Amino acid sequence: MRGFIKPRFTRLHMPFRAPRRGRRGCRRRRSALLAGVLCGSFWQHASQQNVYLSYFAEQYLAGHNTGSFSAAMSVSFLSAMILQAVVLFFSLSCIGAPVLACVPVLRGISIGCVSAYLYASMGMRGLLANLILFWLPAILQSVFLVLFTDVALDTSTSLFRLNFLEQATGAGTKISRCLRIFVVSSLGMLLAAILEGLLAVIFAPVFLK
């Protein structure tokens, strides 16, 4: 009919659709995390030659061997917050993107080291201990870390474009968003550490003694 205006659908009609670039970035961070898990597992497999990774795994498990809630929770939370602090620091740097891209790999390496150490030292009992005691808290902490790293990388890239390319990127808004995500992610790390402490109280005397 004459005078009828055909509606035109644009992206404005789909406000809840996530940008493809963000989804691709998150997938890359997850892939980097899994690659770190594999690397840590293979490196730790030669535990006699790799003294440093063995020492890391032993120190991490020392708090769990006692079956103490506070010891297991504090070790888990402090180790997670070290990476959180690294991500926060480099998110506020215009040249922090290369370091931020490596953070999921480091997290994966730590998970792989502990997993391989338990299996190498205790066999199937160590594998069960790893699945019951560590994997669920580790997955929760890794999810929060990947989400925070993704936002931090976007913030650092915006600062780079603002300082070196003189492009208006809304860096101030992204910094405030990054700080909010840091608080939320840290609370998630704390909840995962509490869960790990509870699991250590219940199952560590069974599997790690």
Side-chain angles (χ1 to χ4, degrees):
M1 290 186 298
R2 182 175 296 179
F4 177 75
I5 300 176
K6 185 178 180 181
R8 300 175 64 184
F9 296 96
T10 63
R11 291 185 180 180
L12 295 177
H13 294 85
M14 297 178 289
F16 300 107
R17 185 176 180 180
R20 292 183 179 179
R21 183 178 179 183
R23 290 200 299 267
R24 286 198 300 267
C26 220
R27 283 197 295 267
R28 283 196 292 267
R29 249 73 75 196
R30 290 197 297 266
S31 300
L33 177 72
L34 293 176
V37 173
L38 293 176
C39 289
S41 300
F42 284 121
W43 288 348
Q44 182 59 35
H45 185 68
S47 58
Q48 293 181 353
Q49 289 79 17
N50 206 322
V51 179
Y52 296 105
L53 294 181
S54 298
Y55 178 78
F56 165 77
E58 289 173 359
Q59 292 302 310
Y60 186 83
L61 294 173
H64 298 74
N65 290 332
T66 60
S68 170
F69 170 79
S70 59
M73 187 206 74
S74 60
V75 168
S76 176
F77 183 63
L78 289 176
S79 62
M81 289 306 296
I82 289 174
L83 285 180
Q84 285 279 100
V86 170
V87 173
L88 179 63
F89 178 79
F90 283 100
S91 69
L92 303 177
S93 170
C94 59
I95 55 173
V99 178
L100 293 172
C102 297
V103 168
V105 179
L106 296 177
R107 175 61 181 167
I109 288 175
S110 66
I111 296 174
C113 285
V114 174
S115 303
Y117 181 84
L118 284 170
Y119 180 73
S121 58
M122 292 187 289
M124 288 303 298
R125 188 160 64 96
L127 181 61
L128 288 175
N130 184 38
L131 292 175
I132 294 174
L133 286 171
F134 301 108
W135 267 95
L136 181 56
I139 289 174
L140 291 176
Q141 290 183 345
S142 299
V143 167
F144 284 110
L145 180 66
V146 167
L147 291 176
F148 179 41
T149 304
D150 194 52
V151 176
L153 191 57
D154 184 40
T155 304
S156 178
T157 305
S158 299
L159 291 173
F160 178 85
R161 293 202 300 266
L162 178 65
N163 284 276
F164 292 98
L165 304 179
E166 297 182 354
Q167 296 178 357
T169 57
T173 303
K174 292 183 178 181
I175 289 175
S176 61
R177 178 171 177 258
C178 185
L179 294 176
R180 290 196 300 270
I181 297 298
F182 168 74
V183 174
V184 174
S185 179
S186 298
L187 290 175
M189 297 291 185
L190 179 60
L191 292 177
I194 291 173
L195 175 61
E196 188 168 335
L198 293 174
L199 292 175
V201 171
I202 299 171
F203 295 106
V206 178
F207 292 103
L208 299 182
K209 294 294 184 181

